[in-house]
Amino acid sequence: MSDLTPIDPTMTPAWEALDLRADTFDPDLREWFAADPQRTQKWTLSAADLYVDLSKNLIDEDVLDDLLALAEQTNVAQLRDAMYAGEHINVTEDRAVLHTALRRPATDTLMVDGQDAIADVHAELAKMYAFAERVRSGEWVGITGKPVETVVNVGIGGSDLGPVMAYEALAPYVQEGLKCRFISNIDPTDAGETTKDLDPETTLVIVASKTFTTLETITNAKVVREWFLNALRERGLATDEASTAEAISKHFVAVSTALDKVAEFGIDPANAFGFWNWVGGRYSVDSAVGTALAIAIGPEGFADFLAGFHAMDRHFAEAPARENVPLIMGLLNVWYGNFLGADTHAVLPYSQYLHRFPAYLQQLTMESNGKSVRRDGTPVTYDTGEVFWGEPGTNGQHAFYQLIHQGTRMVPADFIAFANPAWPLADGDADMHELFLSNFLAQTKALAFGKTSEEVRAEGTAEEIVSARVFTGNRPTTSIMAPSLTPSVLGQLIALYEHITFVQGAVWGIDSFDQWGVELGKVLAKQIMPAIEGDAAALAAQDQSTRALIEYYRKHRG
Ligand code: F6P
């Protein structure tokens, strides 16, 4: 058993060294690149299929030495090994953290709490793959004998963001004739708009919820069941108890760790796919939570996806510290956030298919590392979890890049691009993907090297607007490239960010695997509901602002 007592990172010699270094740090990427023609080669690493160019970061050998020392002095590698081994590193929930076990080969063994986790994972995968194959082949039919055309995933947070992000990212791999839709928000608009044009006879609903108690998901699942049964009844179907039960069993399946609650909801546990409490919601897209994806891209595609995760897991576990991409990227984030004053971090995929990737990363990183106390409950005295955000390029260029280029805040950014497009379109002679990539390259170049006042003047710019047209440069970016956005590469990218998040949490000594911060709002929403419905005592019990808002609502609701 490892000693999981967190270390206050600010008390380490490495933190002190970084603090001192930051005081006099005066990065000059133009100068650094000019002085060292090998800089890009030195600072470019590879991890599985990813080519990761760190050379445009504000880092030199001294900073790297101190950051690696910080990782050592805060026991990052020990915590990583404890995580991979199934120790209960999620201390506030007393749980193992084993998303890495979800993608290990069937030949491995890993005993967790007296049970072989790898055998369990592969048994469940086999069940999910067999089901996915039945749906894809048309063998699984609905109540009127028609094959499934639309899969509706009802879930929220980790039970939604991963599946929808990966489904969108892997669109070229989706079987023709099949589509997925996703309902997450308890705003009735979401269920209403998503079901309004669906044919219940060809719809399969997956209710995905780790706990099977989440208000949004259970409410949406009930509403969708109501829509489904009403639509069938309008067609003279599902008119008695037996045919209703048959319709539900053919059109509703579940994914959960709580199979008893699945049965209570009315879904046959034989049509449920399980996972384990050692899989955090935001780390679960590679478990049965990915059932919609497995149906869409098929078992082979899903197995490739898992292989991609596993390749990155191995890299994180085995690559030496100086070549370890998640380790160094996580430490760079600590450098920027704790020593150079960055509050946010942008993720900018130059791939329309990755348009939900920043949203996915927001849950992964911010639910994991938005914490103010360490694993032992002691308060932190330093910043944790930066705000992650982003949009696909080039859309972001015409929206918020202005602030990244010339604003007063430092926004470290990750740029992601692929050599091969899924759509090889051209505008006359101009290959569109190359136009796209020239933007990807131009942005990191402009951010790193900027444009001096002399260069602006040399263009004949009027003196009074020279300063407005100067780019300071020295704005840090990481460029990540891969040959193509395949299922495996997507798995590698997700695992990369999982481990970056892990490294940051480990340095900060926090529990990156609980999420107590989302609980209070859930409890209060339940208490407020009666007040909205008109219960005078419940209304009187509210604070003045909440009471006034409820009164406004009741007055204006038609
Ligand atoms: O509210 C936060 C959260 O618990 C997330 O961590 C989780 O991914 C989401 O809710 C959904 O939870 P469940 O899968 O149990 O419905």
Side-chain angles (χ1 to χ4, degrees):
M1 276 291 162
S2 315
D3 179 6
L4 299 177
T5 315
I7 287 163
D8 178 346
T10 63
M11 294 297 155
T12 61
W15 190 282
E16 207 180 313
L18 285 161
D19 233 354
L20 279 174
R21 213 174 272 297
D23 283 347
T24 53
F25 193 62
D26 190 15
D28 187 340
L29 286 170
R30 277 194 184 217
E31 168 60 30
W32 290 355
F33 271 76
D36 182 2
Q38 304 300 316
R39 181 171 170 88
T40 298
Q41 194 194 325
K42 276 188 203 152
W43 291 96
T44 297
L45 301 174
S46 63
D49 295 320
L50 307 186
Y51 170 98
V52 182
D53 177 359
L54 299 166
S55 65
K56 296 196 197 87
N57 278 285
L58 306 184
I59 189 166
D60 59 19
E61 285 296 336
D62 292 336
V63 173
L64 180 65
D65 285 345
D66 288 346
L67 286 171
L68 292 174
L70 180 65
E72 256 184 63
Q73 291 162 20
T74 51
N75 293 338
V76 173
Q78 282 92 321
L79 194 70
R80 175 200 63 202
D81 294 346
M83 172 172 76
Y84 278 54
E87 290 187 35
H88 286 207
I89 69 163
N90 177 355
V91 290
T92 72
E93 295 181 301
D94 191 17
R95 285 179 184 169
V97 174
L98 269 176
H99 42 280
T100 52
L102 295 169
R103 47 256 193 164
R104 282 176 59 173
T107 43
D108 284 4
T109 305
L110 178 69
M111 299 308 289
V112 181
D113 306 329
Q115 187 71 20
D116 181 2
I118 309 293
D120 288 350
V121 163
H122 282 273
E124 210 54 40
L125 271 178
K127 193 172 151 194
M128 178 177 83
Y129 287 165
F131 174 68
E133 214 37 273
R134 288 181 71 194
V135 175
R136 288 165 65 82
S137 67
E139 184 198 327
W140 180 282
V141 291
I143 185 145
T144 52
K146 293 184 183 164
V148 173
E149 286 172 8
T150 309
V151 177
V152 177
N153 187 84
V154 180
I156 197 165
S159 300
D160 166 72
L161 286 163
V164 69
M165 178 276 288
Y167 172 74
E168 296 284 326
L170 299 175
Y173 296 84
V174 173
Q175 175 168 298
E176 236 186 279
L178 266 178
K179 59 180 180 297
C180 295
R181 289 188 180 179
F182 299 85
I183 300 175
S184 55
N185 201 333
I186 199 164
D187 179 343
T189 310
D190 205 5
E193 285 290 339
T194 308
T195 54
K196 73 178 182 201
D197 57 350
L198 286 184
D199 178 356
E201 293 175 49
T202 56
T203 297
L204 175 75
V205 180
I206 301 175
V207 185
S209 173
K210 178 175 170 181
T211 53
F212 230 76
T213 56
T214 305
L215 180 72
E216 289 88 340
T217 301
I218 300 309
T219 307
N220 273 324
K222 287 188 197 151
V223 164
V224 172
R225 183 173 57 188
E226 221 28 50
W227 157 80
F228 170 74
L229 290 174
N230 286 339
L232 285 186
R233 280 171 193 149
E234 277 169 18
R235 300 174 188 194
L237 299 161
T239 45
D240 58 22
E241 213 176 294
S243 56
T244 297
E246 192 199 347
I248 295 293
S249 78
K250 289 189 165 158
H251 292 265
F252 279 73
V253 301
V255 174
S256 186
T257 57
L259 298 183
D260 50 333
K261 297 205 172 70
V262 169
E264 269 168 42
F265 181 84
I267 295 176
D268 184 349
N271 294 337
F273 306 94
F275 60 115
W276 305 270
N277 73 9
W278 40 257
V279 182
R282 54 196 175 271
Y283 298 87
S284 66
V285 62
D286 46 344
S287 71
V289 167
T291 299
L293 181 68
I295 294 171
I297 67 169
E300 224 173 280
F302 200 84
D304 275 356
F305 181 54
L306 296 185
F309 279 92
H310 183 60
M312 188 58 68
D313 294 344
R314 291 195 57 176
H315 169 88
F316 182 46
E318 294 164 12
R322 285 181 174 274
E323 294 162 27
N324 199 306
V325 176
L327 176 66
I328 296 178
M329 287 183 73
L331 291 171
L332 270 171
N333 289 352
V334 171
W335 172 234
Y336 293 132
N338 294 109
F339 300 95
L340 300 187
D343 290 319
T344 80
H345 190 104
V347 180
L348 307 166
Y350 277 66
S351 164
Q352 185 61 26
Y353 285 131
L354 284 179
H355 72 111
R356 293 296 287 160
F357 195 52
Y360 172 80
L361 290 185
Q362 285 184 326
Q363 187 198 16
L364 174 66
T365 59
M366 290 158 76
E367 204 171 69
S368 295
N369 284 342
K371 312 285 163 66
S372 302
V373 296
R374 285 186 287 267
R375 289 192 296 278
D376 60 0
T378 53
V380 302
T381 53
Y382 40 86
D383 281 330
T384 63
E386 66 274 46
V387 174
F388 271 75
W389 59 287
E391 279 286 326
T394 55
N395 298 11
Q397 288 175 208
H398 297 276
F400 53 76
Y401 277 36
Q402 166 65 37
L403 183 148
I404 306 183
H405 281 287
Q406 286 190 313
T408 54
R409 299 167 195 277
M410 177 203 282
V411 183
D414 300 343
F415 283 68
I416 304 171
F418 304 95
N420 292 290
W423 289 89
L425 302 179
D427 172 20
D429 286 342
D431 179 324
M432 252 180 114
H433 189 62
E434 289 177 0
L435 285 172
F436 188 37
L437 282 190
S438 64
N439 276 276
F440 161 77
L441 297 168
Q443 292 300 323
T444 57
K445 192 177 169 104
L447 288 163
F449 307 120
K451 193 170 182 182
T452 63
S453 47
E454 290 74 40
E455 287 166 343
V456 176
R457 272 191 203 103
E459 288 172 345
T461 308
E463 191 55 35
E464 57 274 24
I465 58 164
V466 165
S467 60
R469 300 189 60 176
V470 166
F471 289 69
T472 58
N474 294 320
R475 296 177 182 247
T477 61
T478 296
S479 300
I480 302 175
M481 289 197 77
S484 306
L485 181 54
T486 60
S488 168
V489 165
L490 182 64
Q492 293 169 34
L493 277 172
I494 299 172
L496 169 64
Y497 281 92
E498 286 177 352
H499 297 319
I500 290 171
T501 304
F502 171 86
V503 169
Q504 294 181 248
V507 169
W508 292 324
I510 58 178
D511 186 337
S512 298
F513 302 99
D514 61 13
Q515 56 283 317
W516 298 107
V518 295
E519 291 308 317
L520 180 59
K522 291 184 191 173
V523 172
L524 294 182
K526 279 196 186 137
Q527 289 169 6
I528 288 171
M529 189 63 184
I532 297 181
E533 288 171 335
D535 180 319
L539 185 64
Q542 303 303 323
D543 65 90
Q544 50 178 302
S545 167
T546 308
R547 201 163 52 236
L549 288 164
I550 294 171
E551 281 161 357
Y552 175 90
Y553 162 73
R554 288 182 59 80
K555 187 168 157 206
H556 289 88
R557 169 83 189 238

